[in-house]
């Protein structure tokens, strides 16, 4: 069974709740977990799409080049990790243009994919992605109770890639319907919280029903010694920090159970529509 494997390349402090000047005072820790992920992908002859934050790419250019050199797809996660709907159209345009320029300069190749910080995509944001030369977005999941996720009213029936605009594909994140609500099933904190067999059975069901699955993880999901600064409430603390020590072994199991690959390999139709 195949799935798309994606990594949002940001560090433990890259939150919209902290300013870029506060980020500058924080220790960059993501190189080790990124290398752990790269080595696991090599071990299972798998590939991934890495949605890299422009700010991180400026600070660790060699890491971005290495990811690309090792056969993976580089895509954009914006520059500053501000939520799309908290920015003006001009601010958003400048943010994604800067990240795309930095990444394309580093790898010497076109960047065509984008994922919004905390999946905060808007309809006008999609139009700007087209203007800035992106050919796909991967920021929308079917309506879930988590209000960090996009405000789109996307039916749980929509689980495969689709043309959300004339010149833009959407690569949606998976959710599963449990007890009348859509529960996110793509990865991140949910991957850490769910026992692996539970996650696995849900992923198998989604792939069986929809023949489509996009997984995501962050480097900080493997960093169990990271400073825990966002522990403001019980539920947020659980979602942000639970199970960090087990993530590496769970990713290894995932790569053994599924044939994982980058979005451009998993779903080649989404490129080259311009
Ligand atoms: Zn992010």
């Amino acid at each position: 069974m195949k799935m798309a494997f994606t990594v949002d390349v940001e560090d433990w402090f890259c939150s919209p709740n902290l300013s870029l000047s506060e980020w500058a005072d924080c220790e960059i820790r993501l190189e080790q977990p990124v290398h752990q992920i790269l080595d696991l992908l090599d071990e299972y002859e798998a590939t991934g799409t890495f949605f890299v934050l422009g700010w991180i790419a400026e600070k660790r250019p060699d890491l971005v080049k290495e990811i690309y050199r090792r056969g993976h797809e580089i895509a954009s996660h914006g520059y500053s990790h501000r939520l799309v709907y908290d920015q003006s159209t001009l601010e958003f345009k400048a943010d994604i243009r800067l990240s795309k320029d930095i990444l394309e300069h580093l790898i010497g190749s076109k960047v065509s994919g984008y994922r919004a910080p905390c999946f905060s995509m808007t309809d006008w944001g999609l139009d700007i992605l087209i203007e800035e030369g992106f050919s796909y977005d991967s920021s929308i999941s079917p309506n879930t109770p988590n209000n960090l996720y996009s405000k789109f009213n996307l039916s749980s029936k929509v689980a495969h890639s689709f043309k959300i605009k004339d010149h833009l594909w959407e690569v949606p994140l998976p959710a599963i319907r449990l007890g009348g609500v859509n529960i996110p099933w793509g990865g991140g904190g949910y991957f850490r919280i769910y026992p692996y067999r539970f996650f696995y059975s849900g992923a198998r069901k989604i792939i069986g029903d929809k023949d489509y699955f996009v997984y995501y993880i962050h480097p900080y999901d493997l960093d169990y010694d990271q400073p825990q600064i966002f522990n403001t409430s019980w539920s947020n603390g659980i979602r942000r920090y639970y199970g960090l020590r087990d993530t590496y072994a769970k990713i290894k199991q995932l790569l053994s159970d599924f044939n994982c690959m980058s979005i451009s390999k998993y779903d080649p139709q989404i490129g080259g529509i311009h």
Side-chain angles (χ1 to χ4, degrees):
M1 277 187 301
K2 297 194 298 183
M3 67 167 59
F5 185 98
T6 71
V7 183
D8 292 355
V9 183
E10 63 195 69
D11 219 325
W12 60 275
F13 51 83
C14 296
S15 157
N17 299 324
L18 295 179
S19 67
L20 291 187
S21 61
E22 288 172 303
W23 290 14
D25 292 332
C26 294
E27 177 197 4
I28 293 180
R29 300 175 53 90
L30 56 59
E31 284 166 299
Q32 187 187 0
V34 167
H35 280 119
Q36 285 180 304
I37 294 168
L38 288 172
D39 290 347
L40 278 177
L41 290 169
D42 280 354
E43 187 180 335
Y44 289 93
E45 297 182 349
T47 56
T49 295
F50 288 68
F51 292 93
V52 183
L53 208 55
W55 189 92
I56 290 289
E58 277 185 339
K59 299 288 187 277
R60 292 295 183 270
D62 289 344
L63 186 64
V64 178
K65 290 180 186 170
E66 182 185 351
I67 295 167
Y68 184 68
R69 195 178 63 242
R70 290 173 72 165
H72 307 292
E73 178 184 8
I74 299 291
S76 167
H77 196 34
Y79 181 84
S80 63
H81 212 272
R82 286 182 64 200
L83 303 181
V84 177
Y85 44 72
D86 283 350
Q87 299 179 68
S88 70
T89 54
L90 284 178
E91 286 171 334
F92 177 64
K93 197 177 181 70
D95 183 278
I96 61 171
R97 180 177 293 180
L98 180 57
S99 77
K100 193 170 191 285
D101 286 350
I102 292 167
L103 295 171
E104 290 182 344
H105 178 72
L106 284 175
I107 65 171
S109 183
K110 188 169 155 45
V111 164
S112 55
Y114 175 77
R115 175 169 290 154
C118 307
F119 308 103
S120 56
M121 188 41 78
T122 63
D123 189 59
W124 57 259
L126 295 172
D127 292 329
I128 293 175
L129 287 182
I130 297 166
E131 290 169 23
E132 292 301 313
F134 289 91
S135 59
Y136 78 88
D137 173 63
S138 180
S139 310
I140 300 182
S141 87
N143 271 10
T144 68
N146 185 346
N147 63 9
L148 274 178
Y149 282 61
S150 49
K151 314 265 189 237
F152 276 85
N153 187 14
L154 187 67
S155 155
S156 60
K157 294 194 177 75
V158 179
H160 203 280
S161 60
F162 65 103
K163 262 192 175 177
I164 196 163
K165 299 269 180 183
D166 270 355
H167 295 287
L168 193 74
W169 287 87
E170 179 60 40
V171 178
L173 280 299
I176 205 161
R177 200 148 180 89
L178 277 180
V181 288
N182 293 324
I183 308 293
W185 216 269
Y190 301 95
F191 183 69
R192 279 185 282 104
I193 292 165
Y194 303 158
Y196 179 75
R197 297 318 298 182
F198 182 61
F199 180 86
Y200 169 83
S201 59
R204 277 196 65 131
K205 176 169 171 28
I206 292 169
I207 295 170
D209 289 350
K210 318 285 188 187
D211 194 24
Y212 205 81
F213 195 93
V214 178
Y215 169 84
Y216 74 93
I217 199 74
H218 309 88
Y220 64 69
D221 286 315
L222 292 86
D223 182 5
Y224 52 80
D225 281 334
Q226 67 187 278
Q228 300 196 0
I229 57 171
F230 300 118
N231 214 346
T232 53
S233 73
W234 185 83
S235 63
N236 278 342
I238 289 277
R239 197 164 48 77
R240 190 61 175 70
Y241 297 120
Y242 181 85
L244 296 168
R245 284 182 186 274
D246 299 329
T247 309
Y248 177 85
K250 286 164 95 172
I251 295 175
K252 189 173 166 67
Q253 189 64 52
L254 182 89
L255 289 166
S256 142
D257 288 338
F258 296 93
N259 181 11
C260 291
M261 61 196 75
S262 64
I263 288 175
S264 56
K265 284 190 180 146
Y266 182 67
D267 196 349
Q269 68 174 342
I270 61 170
I273 59 172
H274 284 273

